[in-house]
Amino acid sequence: DQQVKQNSPSLSVQEGRISILNCDYTNSMFDYFLWYKKYPAEGPTFLISISSIKDKNEDGRFTVFLNKSAKHLSLHIVPSQPGDSAVYFCAAKTGGGNKLTFGTGTQLKVEL
Amino acid sequence: DVKVTQSSRYLVKRTGEKVFLECVQDMDHENMFWYRQDPGLGLRLIYFSYDVKMKEKGDIPEGYSVSREKKERFSLILESASTNQTSMYLCASSGLPRQGTDTQYFGPGTRLTVL
């Protein structure tokens, strides 16, 4: 039972354009969401997060949008750069819990 | 900077062997986690620990055990390795939410191959 889903296994975008990565969840108890970025042969690194009391959080080129009614979040990267090429995982957790539930990941490729 | 280290980057073992994967964090974090990453399945939680000698099962604990004798060290044990345990194993640690440090920080991973 996949509670966090990333339906696009891969995405290809040109340098300078916008990358939009999507994530859907089924558990309505999730109230905190995170995005991690992973390069090959490295562990995931934290990118950006959002609490369910917000619908948008921005950090430089990265913006996360949350639509609670649709149980959907998205990560926007503007402008995309070749160094953004990586696998992106969305993750969710409930309340003050310690456990994260991860999605299956989306491989982003930013082409010159 | 938080540093999470894992004892091996690559490991090759034979079916039936006992395997130890070690993880050490240097940020005095209470929580430590073991995940495995497989293509198309994302990261799945095997076990986690919220204190020394405390552990809880994650989503896929079968075939694994863990040990946390010291706060900074969390070990994953495969009692009798099987080929379906060939995977990338990732360790993570996090502090407590009240400290604002509950983001999980990951080690570089151990690529385990069981022949």
Side-chain angles (χ1 to χ4, degrees), chain A residues 73-101:
Chain A
L73 62 155
S74 60
L75 174 68
H76 292 211
I77 307 173
V78 183
S80 301
Q81 298 174 353
D84 296 329
S85 297
V87 177
Y88 289 79
F89 292 99
C90 69
K93 69 173 186 171
T94 59
N98 299 315
K99 290 173 57 174
L100 289 178
T101 300

Side-chain angles (χ1 to χ4, degrees), chain A residues 13 17 25-26 34 83 85:
Chain A
V13 171
R17 307 294 289 266
Y25 62 96
T26 57
L34 307 90
S85 297

Side-chain angles (χ1 to χ4, degrees), chain B residues 18-90:
Chain B
K18 190 168 186 175
V19 182
F20 292 87
L21 303 182
E22 305 283 339
C23 175
V24 177
Q25 51 96 2
D26 67 356
M27 282 302 293
D28 201 37
H29 281 167
E30 282 73 15
N31 305 309
M32 295 188 74
F33 307 83
W34 275 106
Y35 294 88
R36 61 179 281 178
Q37 182 196 355
D38 299 289
L41 296 175
L43 275 70
R44 293 180 293 165
L45 181 64
I46 304 171
Y47 267 97
F48 71 100
S49 168
Y50 51 89
D51 202 351
V52 175
K53 297 192 188 294
M54 306 303 287
K55 61 186 179 186
E56 279 197 31
K57 292 180 180 179
D59 300 316
I60 51 164
E62 297 78 18
Y64 304 94
S65 62
V66 289
S67 173
R68 193 164 179 203
E69 296 296 319
K70 294 184 178 181
K71 191 174 185 180
E72 67 271 17
R73 188 179 296 269
F74 192 35
S75 303
L76 180 70
I77 303 152
L78 288 67
E79 295 290 341
S80 177
S82 63
T83 54
N84 63 12
Q85 292 178 309
T86 291
S87 187
M88 169 69 84
Y89 289 87
L90 292 159

Side-chain angles (χ1 to χ4, degrees), chain A residues 49-67:
Chain A
S49 62
I50 187 167
S51 163
S52 60
I53 61 173
K54 295 185 174 182
D55 54 18
K56 177 182 173 181
N57 188 27
E58 197 170 348
D59 184 2
R61 297 186 297 114
F62 302 91
T63 303
V64 56
F65 295 92
L66 176 61
N67 182 335

